[in-house]
Amino acid sequence: MRKAGVLMPITSLPSPWGVGTMGAEARSFVDFLAQAGVAVWQILPLGPTSFGDSPYQSYSSFAGNPYLIDLDDLAAEGLLEETEYAGRDWGSDPANVDYGALYRERFDVLVCAVTRLSANAPAELEAFCDRESAWLEDYALFMALKRAHGGAPWNMWEDDIRLREPAALERARTELADEIAFWKGVQYLFFLQWGRLKGYAHTAGIEIMGDLPIYVAEDSVEVWAHPQEFQLDENLRPIEVAGCPPDGFSATGQLWGNPLFDWERMKEDGYRWWIGRIAHQYKFYDILRIDHFRGFDSYYAIPAGNTTAAGGRWREGPGIGFFQAVEERLGPRPIVAEDLGFLTPSVHKLLADTGYPGMKLLQFAFDSRDGGSDEYLPFVYPTNSVAYIGTHDNDTALGWLETAPAEDTTAARAYLGLNAEEGEGWGLMRGILASPSDLAVLLMQDLLGLGTEARINTPSTLGGNWTWRALPGFATDELARKLHDKLALYRRLPPQVEVAEAI
């Protein structure tokens, strides 16, 4: 079925309180998508962000981001007084997230909410903690210990805690009992609000698509609590770390620094940890996009301590056996493979063997740095694919036309017949909407006609990323009607919308 999606991070929604949340603005955005005939809302990972504010470097693959909890909804439920959050400094620019302000202010407010929650604890709180105990116990202890250590990463904690000696952990659980209860309460509130928002989207006929980063952050509860799953030395330090080799985009490559998985050991127990991780993502999403899919075929390993990604080596990944194990345990699940970057024949074969749809980026078709690629021209997209102009890691449509080499943009303008009357951004969107891809995903910034100032992330850079926010009133009825007309033209309206209109 042909359909369309819109990529819009929850953090990018408007809010008076510093960041987009799972509250009224999110529900209003769902209404906008339904009015426009959009079937899929793509978001970024929902985990709690760490240093650098990237949702792809999280303290946990299982927990939710406390910043996304809506304060007004908490107040409506009697868990907050508006005076407890309305007078705080949430940042001066409504078009950007001030993560420093969030870090300073948000948790004090959530303490108020969790204190009231605990004073009259609903039965659902205890049931949630029991149901999610497999990850929640370690996560709450990890976050309590992190706060007790002034935010220092776990590999700088004292040895008995760092190495998880049972007596030290038991002592910490006793001493930090109140703090542990706080972090459990925060997660209860997150999952309560997320479940309501996801249900609201389903009622409107909207599916949620979200990302699972292939790697986890070194400073995460997963590495601390499950070191046996990673390539670490006897002191629990990474032996090699993740990244991408030098290429036409970066002369030194990309040094991500994440610990690498011990795939051989994981294979011994049928990839149990990974399967649990994937299964949990479907509590968040309906469709799962697995980031850096090629890493399951072969992955780039960089010696720990290197200052750039140069000098690494390719090593063999788990291959099709991993995905067969996932399907055997979880059954068929809707998965999208982020198959971008340098792809070998074996990666193409792995994608074909899984049957997952891959990704096609229109910008890549005209990129002279890599000589362009016909496989990214819309007329050759397979139906079993997801089409984009660019993702959260690329410039916006108009930003790309403004900043890309003239050779690239000249080719794009000629190929797509871009013109001022239609609007060049809408012309680029036309390119993917008209493509054979079953799903075409548009960036919200492109629908709003925004340029580089609205770019979400520039890979391999620090600062200024993940901050863009839409201004109040951005999702207008007029824009919804215009998008609806485009989706109707290219046969991307959901069947129920087409039937309703026919009647």
Side-chain angles (χ1 to χ4, degrees), residues 102-409:
L102 290 178
Y103 183 78
R104 290 190 301 270
E105 304 289 349
R106 207 68 162 202
F107 296 104
D108 287 346
V109 175
L110 291 175
V111 165
C112 297
V114 173
T115 299
R116 289 192 179 93
L117 175 72
S118 301
N120 189 22
E124 291 82 359
L125 173 60
E126 183 178 356
F128 168 81
C129 293
D130 289 342
R131 186 170 62 249
E132 305 296 332
S133 61
W135 64 269
L136 184 60
E137 292 293 335
D138 280 327
Y139 171 75
L141 176 60
F142 177 84
M143 294 305 294
L145 284 165
K146 176 170 280 293
R147 180 169 285 193
H149 288 83
W154 69 267
N155 58 21
M156 295 179 63
W157 300 348
E158 57 270 32
D159 284 349
D160 58 350
I161 290 292
R162 183 174 65 84
L163 299 175
R164 293 178 60 83
E165 294 179 5
L169 294 185
E170 191 57 38
R171 183 175 65 252
R173 291 188 185 100
T174 300
E175 294 174 353
L176 300 173
D178 290 344
E179 186 76 8
I180 291 169
F182 165 73
W183 289 106
K184 290 180 179 180
V186 167
Q187 287 305 303
Y188 169 77
L189 294 175
F190 175 91
F191 277 88
L192 183 65
Q193 289 196 359
W194 177 249
R196 291 171 179 169
L197 178 57
K198 188 178 179 183
Y200 189 86
H202 288 174
T203 300
I206 308 294
E207 292 183 294
I208 307 291
M209 180 162 75
D211 277 8
L212 176 63
I214 182 174
Y215 296 119
V216 302
E218 181 180 2
D219 187 24
S220 68
V221 63
E222 279 80 30
V223 182
W224 176 64
H226 304 280
Q228 72 279 3
E229 308 291 355
F230 301 88
Q231 296 181 33
L232 308 177
D233 64 19
E234 64 276 8
N235 293 313
L236 304 187
R237 312 291 184 185
I239 300 168
E240 294 177 313
V241 296
C244 282
D247 57 18
F249 299 93
S250 173
T252 58
Q254 297 180 33
L255 178 60
W256 301 336
N258 307 75
L260 297 168
F261 299 111
D262 187 343
W263 287 117
E264 288 300 317
R265 201 224 62 77
M266 286 182 160
K267 184 178 180 180
E268 293 174 1
D269 66 7
Y271 305 104
R272 185 173 67 176
W273 178 86
W274 250 105
I275 290 171
R277 186 185 184 210
I278 289 177
H280 186 80
Q281 303 310 302
Y282 288 98
K283 297 180 181 180
F284 294 137
Y285 318 121
D286 302 299
I287 305 167
L288 184 63
R289 193 191 83 133
I290 296 184
D291 199 46
H292 197 58
F293 177 81
R294 73 142 304 140
F296 294 95
D297 175 70
S298 59
Y299 60 93
Y300 193 64
I302 306 162
N306 276 24
T307 57
T308 75
R313 59 174 177 163
W314 287 103
R315 301 179 65 180
E316 186 177 356
I320 190 62
F322 170 81
F323 295 105
Q324 290 171 336
V326 171
E327 184 161 341
E328 286 172 6
R329 289 287 300 276
L330 303 182
R333 295 293 182 109
I335 291 176
V336 173
E338 188 273 287
D339 59 336
L340 306 174
F342 174 70
L343 303 183
T344 63
S346 60
V347 179
H348 286 294
K349 184 178 187 304
L350 179 61
L351 181 65
D353 289 345
T354 62
Y356 301 153
M359 293 173 54
K360 299 298 179 183
L361 266 62
L362 186 60
Q363 289 183 21
F364 284 9
F366 310 106
D367 197 319
S368 56
R369 289 175 297 181
D370 274 356
S373 177
D374 285 356
E375 71 174 293
Y376 291 109
L377 289 170
F379 77 94
V380 297
Y381 292 176
T383 55
N384 188 36
S385 66
V386 183
Y388 297 80
I389 298 171
T391 72
H392 62 278
D393 282 333
N394 303 102
D395 209 338
T396 66
L398 293 183
W400 179 75
L401 287 171
E402 181 69 25
T403 61
E407 178 183 355
D408 300 2
T409 57

